Amino acid sequence: MESITLQPSEKQIQDFVAQYQAQLVSSKNPYIRYLFKLDKATASIYTSGKVLFQGEKAEQAAQFFGYQASREETTAPQQNCPLIGTDEVGNGSYFGGLAVVASFVTPEQHSFLRKLGVDDSKSLTDQKIRQIVPLLKEKIQHQALLLSPKKYNQVIAAGYNAVSVKVALHNQAIYLLLQTGVQPQKIVIDAFTSDKNYQKYLQRESNHFPNSITLEEKAEGKYLAVAVSSMIARDLFLENLENLSQELGYELPSGAGVKSDKIASQLLQTYGMKSLEASAKLHFKNTEKAKKLLER
């Protein structure tokens, strides 16, 4: 498990707290001011001012404070070819759908993307990402898919699980992008499961293509095509979350923390179970937590 320790300023800490309020969880450690459960990482902010990131995506989370690994660690020379990269957003959030994007990037586009800041996309705020994404959509060939919460719950009920549904979406996004005529020399998926599992679940899908794929951890920091997909997917997920919030009249938070439990219980009280069926991923533990909150 990767661990990164930083000592940012108090202002930076408060900016981080504000950004990830939805992922804030309680801690029994008296020396921890704030504890955040992020996507495949935890962030512990101590009373001393030290911030400890741990987990598979510790490096990604730490880049909020400007942390960067060496160029050798973050840049893959294998991306110097026409390449499709995919990533998903929303998998760890109770509310909102699941967005998956496949993007086709050529070496000639690398300079343009780096000037936009895509090379360091992990350190960008949601606000900055949403400013950049319209340019990415215009300049980069991509295929975006959004599985709404209602449809997500239906496919889970039909026998899919949290991994197999992502396999289906990644495969479909790549398949549709290839149908446009792009010719990648490599296809990279930001790894969310083992290659064996991916191939097992892929067998149930109807659309297939002859190109080989590579599942690689931390691919967002190594391949610009994956970083582009991550940013477009984030924008799509946030747009869906905003639309659902407007429909229900409640501000739905990202993540799966205590705030999500409280909002879910309020929705249950106001609209009943149908509101969660249309806005949340029901198999998350938040559903049962919300029901218990309502019983108090």
Side-chain angles (χ1 to χ4, degrees), residues 11-219:
K11 182 181 183 306
Q12 288 177 311
I13 288 175
Q14 292 307 317
D15 286 345
F16 184 89
V17 172
Q19 176 75 18
Y20 293 101
Q21 187 69 35
Q23 282 82 15
L24 184 64
V25 297
S26 60
S27 172
K28 296 181 180 180
N29 188 330
Y31 298 104
I32 294 180
R33 292 169 63 191
Y34 305 103
L35 176 63
F36 297 88
K37 188 176 182 181
L38 309 174
D39 179 24
K40 297 182 182 180
T42 59
S44 303
I45 301 179
Y46 290 83
T47 54
S48 64
K50 180 182 71 173
V51 180
L52 173 65
F53 291 96
Q54 293 179 299
E56 183 181 328
K57 291 191 175 182
E59 179 186 316
Q60 176 176 335
Q63 290 196 5
F64 181 94
F65 294 116
Y67 174 84
Q68 292 188 15
S70 66
R71 172 65 61 179
E72 289 73 24
E73 291 176 326
T74 59
T75 300
Q78 302 97 316
Q79 76 168 327
N80 291 321
C81 64
L83 190 147
I84 286 178
T86 74
D87 203 358
E88 84 279 339
V89 173
N91 180 61
S93 180
Y94 178 58
F95 288 111
L98 179 60
V100 173
V101 176
S103 300
F104 177 69
V105 172
T106 66
E108 292 76 22
Q109 295 169 316
H110 290 181
S111 177
F112 160 73
L113 293 173
R114 288 197 172 100
K115 286 178 181 177
L116 282 181
V118 174
D119 198 28
D120 300 317
S121 63
K122 290 179 288 187
S123 63
L124 296 178
T125 63
D126 284 341
Q127 181 180 8
K128 188 64 176 177
I129 287 174
R130 304 197 79 179
Q131 289 174 352
I132 293 174
V133 163
L135 281 172
L136 297 179
K137 288 181 176 179
E138 179 184 347
K139 301 292 185 180
I140 304 298
Q141 284 185 266
H142 67 281
Q143 178 64 54
L145 300 175
L146 176 72
L147 191 66
S148 69
K150 183 177 181 180
K151 186 64 176 178
Y152 180 94
N153 292 323
Q154 289 174 350
V155 297
I156 292 295
Y160 280 81
N161 59 43
V163 174
S164 63
V165 70
K166 285 191 287 185
V167 170
L169 288 172
H170 278 264
N171 179 71
Q172 183 69 358
I174 295 168
Y175 174 81
L176 292 174
L177 186 54
L178 288 171
Q179 292 297 102
T180 67
V182 299
Q183 297 183 347
Q185 290 183 20
K186 187 172 184 176
I187 299 176
V188 178
I189 298 173
D190 191 32
F192 54 87
T193 188
S194 66
D195 183 69
K196 182 179 179 180
N197 261 351
Y198 190 95
Q199 295 301 328
K200 178 182 72 173
Y201 291 127
L202 186 61
Q203 293 177 12
R204 72 186 295 177
E205 301 306 311
S206 58
N207 292 329
H208 295 272
F209 47 85
N211 312 61
S212 62
I213 61 169
T214 300
L215 279 81
E216 190 165 339
E217 293 184 359
K218 302 181 182 179

Side-chain angles (χ1 to χ4, degrees), residues 223-235:
Y223 299 91
L224 288 167
V226 179
V228 168
S229 292
S230 175
M231 293 172 70
I232 296 176
R234 181 66 181 172
D235 178 73

